[in-house]
Amino acid sequence: MKRYIILLYLAVSAGIKAQIKDNPSVLTLNEIWNISESQNKQLKLAELAKEESDISILEAKDKQLPELSVVGDFRLNSKFLLYENGLFSSPQSVPIKGYGYGLGYNLDFNLYSGGKDKRNIEIKKEEKIRKQYEFELQEDNVKYMIAASYYDLYKFQEFESFISSEISSEKKQLSTIENLNRNGIVLKSDVLRISVKLSQLQLSDSDVKKKIDLTKQRLNILMGRSSTEPLAISSEDILENKNLQGSNYEDYLAAALDNSPDLKIVNTNQTLSELNIRQVKSSLLPRISLYSRYNYTYPQISFYPYSNDLWGFGQIGLKVTYSVDNLYKSKHTIAHAYNLKKQEIEKSRIKQDDLSIKVRDAFLEREQARESVETAELTIRQSTESVRVIRNSYLNQQSLLTDLLDAENILLQAKLNLTSAEANLRLSHIKLLIITGTL
């Protein structure tokens, strides 16, 4: 009995798991975006770049710490010859050991170097800010790719629904026309025309199903999931109609100039070029450091009288270094830094012009998509009435089947156009928000 209970439990569990797999949870666009923030591979790479900038700041701060080294050596000494009466006189051999060794430390602490170390930290912090803007830009790009695939999937699923409904309707119509043909009311050619249209619809249905499968795979990969994982999306729009109206072009442009990550990156490069000028100029300033060293040496052969005993000697003091050659060597380096700054200023102006064009293009694209929606809605109303009139006329032998088929094709195409226009309207609005940095 116990065995049967276990088998029943396993069967029920397997059935539940299969049902969950076959019926995945429905995801909205916002939910897919949230999943991609932690699992998308491109965003993970961008996140690692941000972490690298944090490490670079710590490395720059480490350079402010004193330089400390331990020095040790072992050596073989030659004879120590002392020429008291000149090089060509007979030397006096001073007795020293045939070997020697030493052990000590060197300490160097930078007190002032024109602010290079502190400025280097500022540069690394500014680079971190740029990495953050680059991450935001990459995140927006991923969101747009997801939105494009999301609305493609929504569009293809609606296409499949329309085509399946049309196939079902045409099958019923084919049955009606076959009955009329058997009664000698319509020609055999009408049956063939309906059959051809039905075959074309079935082929279109197969093509759309393949596109649905491919788009689901793309969405899964963008979410960082397995490409074959079941996926279902919500047909409800995440954007309210009032948000689709938006502001005028000038408001969007002003928002873009304030919030666009692309423009912020260029402005950050301009700030970095200014810091680079100050960094180059600091080479004209002296370097002041505190130093200390102490060494134990054997034997003592550095000072006279010499001794075969171990001796220790140390120093501590301030050291000032000034590179005179930088007065003429740094001239072109500074000029190069100024030139780079001018380039960044021009890049910023070019980016602003390019941004204004992108905002205008996206704004007009959204307006055109809205007009397409209105046109498609009007076409559907007109085509629906046209199909009803022509179908009744055909059944009363007052019009041709080709007229009916043409009207049905126009209605189906109008439905497809409306779905595409609605998806394009939402996608163009998202594109506009991304360009302006307000998504």
Side-chain angles (χ1 to χ4, degrees):
M1 183 67 181
K2 185 177 181 181
R3 181 191 301 176
Y4 291 121
I5 293 175
I6 294 175
L7 292 174
L8 179 61
Y9 172 77
L10 293 176
V12 172
S13 299
I16 293 174
K17 290 181 180 179
Q19 186 176 5
I20 293 175
K21 185 175 180 181
D22 294 336
N23 299 283
S25 58
V26 178
L27 298 177
T28 64
L29 181 55
N30 266 331
E31 290 171 340
I32 294 177
W33 278 345
N34 291 335
I35 294 173
S36 67
E37 286 179 359
S38 59
Q39 298 186 23
N40 180 267
K41 297 179 179 63
Q42 296 178 3
L43 293 183
K44 285 182 178 179
L45 182 61
E47 187 68 37
L48 290 174
K50 283 175 56 182
E51 294 177 6
E52 182 182 353
S53 63
D54 291 330
I55 297 175
S56 297
I57 293 175
L58 296 176
E59 286 180 338
K61 290 181 177 180
D62 289 342
K63 293 183 179 179
Q64 290 184 308
L65 300 175
E67 297 178 7
L68 178 62
S69 59
V70 178
V71 182
D73 71 296
F74 179 84
R75 56 193 175 273
L76 297 177
N77 297 324
S78 66
K79 290 184 178 181
F80 199 109
L81 303 178
L82 183 63
Y83 296 86
E84 295 180 339
N85 299 317
L87 180 60
F88 298 103
S89 62
S90 298
Q92 176 186 356
S93 179
V94 179
I96 61 170
K97 288 290 185 179
Y99 65 92
Y101 56 84
L103 180 65
Y105 77 89
N106 290 326
L107 176 68
D108 189 289
F109 182 51
N110 179 33
L111 299 178
Y112 177 77
S113 58
K116 279 187 175 181
D117 292 340
K118 290 183 178 179
R119 197 171 297 111
N120 190 41
I121 295 175
E122 290 181 42
I123 291 174
K124 297 302 179 182
K125 288 181 177 179
E126 197 67 28
E127 289 177 348
K128 178 184 176 181
I129 294 174
R130 184 177 62 185
K131 289 289 184 182
Q132 176 62 35
Y133 293 149
E134 290 175 351
F135 177 82
E136 293 175 3
L137 184 62
Q138 183 64 47
E139 190 175 37
D140 286 343
N141 291 336
V142 170
K143 282 186 174 181
Y144 181 77
M145 288 189 292
I146 289 175
S149 297
Y150 180 90
Y151 284 116
D152 276 346
L153 181 56
Y154 164 75
K155 182 172 59 177
F156 294 144
Q157 287 179 342
E158 290 297 304
F159 285 0
E160 183 187 19
S161 176
F162 292 146
I163 293 173
S164 297
S165 177
E166 188 73 8
I167 289 174
S168 177
S169 176
E170 290 301 322
K171 285 182 178 179
K172 293 178 181 178
Q173 189 163 258
L174 175 61
S175 178
T176 301
I177 293 177
E178 284 176 340
N179 289 331
L180 293 175
N181 175 253
R182 282 193 292 269
N183 295 326
I185 299 175
V186 299
L187 299 176
K188 180 67 175 180
S189 59
D190 287 357
V191 177
L192 296 176
R193 288 191 182 95
I194 290 290
S195 300
V196 170
K197 180 183 178 180
L198 192 57
S199 299
Q200 292 175 341
L201 287 172
Q202 290 170 342
L203 182 61
S204 298
D205 185 60
S206 175
D207 182 58
V208 169
K209 287 180 179 177
K210 292 176 182 177
K211 290 180 179 179
I212 289 174
D213 183 66
L214 181 61
T215 308
K216 284 184 177 181
Q217 181 182 10
R218 185 181 298 113
L219 266 176
N220 276 325
I221 290 175
L222 288 172
M223 284 190 288
R225 307 197 308 179
S226 170
S227 61
T228 58
E229 190 166 345
L231 173 65
I233 65 169
S234 172
S235 59
E236 297 180 1
D237 194 4
I238 65 164
L239 300 172
E240 298 180 4
N241 290 332
K242 62 179 182 180
N243 291 333
L244 292 176
Q245 301 300 320
S247 306
N248 54 35
Y249 164 72
E250 288 73 17
D251 292 336
Y252 280 116
L253 179 59
L257 295 176
D258 289 336
N259 303 305
S260 171
D262 212 4
L263 184 59
K264 288 179 179 179
I265 292 173
V266 177
N267 292 336
T268 303
N269 290 337
Q270 187 175 336
T271 303
L272 286 171
S273 66
E274 294 172 355
L275 290 172
N276 185 51
I277 291 175
R278 293 166 57 191
Q279 194 77 323
V280 172
K281 285 184 175 180
S282 64
S283 62
L284 299 175
L285 300 174
R287 182 180 187 274
I288 303 174
S289 60
L290 173 68
Y291 74 93
S292 173
R293 53 178 173 261
Y294 196 92
N295 293 281
Y296 289 101
T297 309
Y298 176 85
Q300 192 286 108
I301 56 175
S302 299
F303 302 99
Y304 189 82
Y306 312 110
S307 172
N308 284 327
D309 297 321
L310 179 69
W311 69 291
F313 178 73
Q315 290 178 321
I316 185 171
L318 290 175
K319 180 170 60 176
V320 180
T321 306
Y322 184 76
S323 299
V324 179
D325 60 316
N326 279 336
L327 291 174
Y328 53 89
K329 282 185 177 180
S330 62
K331 178 180 178 181
H332 297 106
T333 304
I334 294 174
H336 181 225
Y338 271 109
N339 183 268
L340 291 177
K341 178 184 176 182
K342 292 178 182 178
Q343 291 182 41
E344 294 301 332
I345 292 174
E346 292 303 320
K347 287 180 181 179
S348 178
R349 293 171 180 171
I350 293 172
K351 181 58 68 176
Q352 290 179 22
D353 293 339
D354 182 57
L355 195 59
S356 66
I357 294 174
K358 286 184 177 180
V359 172
R360 186 69 175 178
D361 180 64
F363 182 80
L364 295 176
E365 182 180 338
R366 191 189 64 178
E367 295 303 306
Q368 183 179 3
R370 182 181 293 111
E371 293 174 2
S372 298
V373 170
E374 296 172 356
T375 302
E377 289 174 344
L378 177 60
T379 304
I380 286 178
R381 290 195 296 269
Q382 295 174 342
S383 300
T384 302
E385 180 63 17
S386 176
V387 168
R388 186 188 68 81
V389 172
I390 296 176
R391 179 176 286 117
N392 291 334
S393 176
Y394 171 73
L395 294 176
N396 293 324
Q397 299 291 299
Q398 295 176 352
S399 63
L400 300 176
L401 179 63
T402 53
D403 297 332
L404 176 59
L405 296 181
D406 289 341
E408 290 175 345
N409 289 336
I410 292 174
L411 177 58
L412 176 60
Q413 188 61 49
K415 292 179 180 179
L416 301 182
N417 290 342
L418 177 59
T419 302
S420 298
E422 289 175 339
N424 291 337
L425 176 59
R426 287 153 179 77
L427 186 60
S428 62
H429 185 75
I430 291 175
K431 179 181 179 181
L432 185 57
L433 295 180
I434 287 177
I435 293 175
T436 56
T438 55
L439 181 62

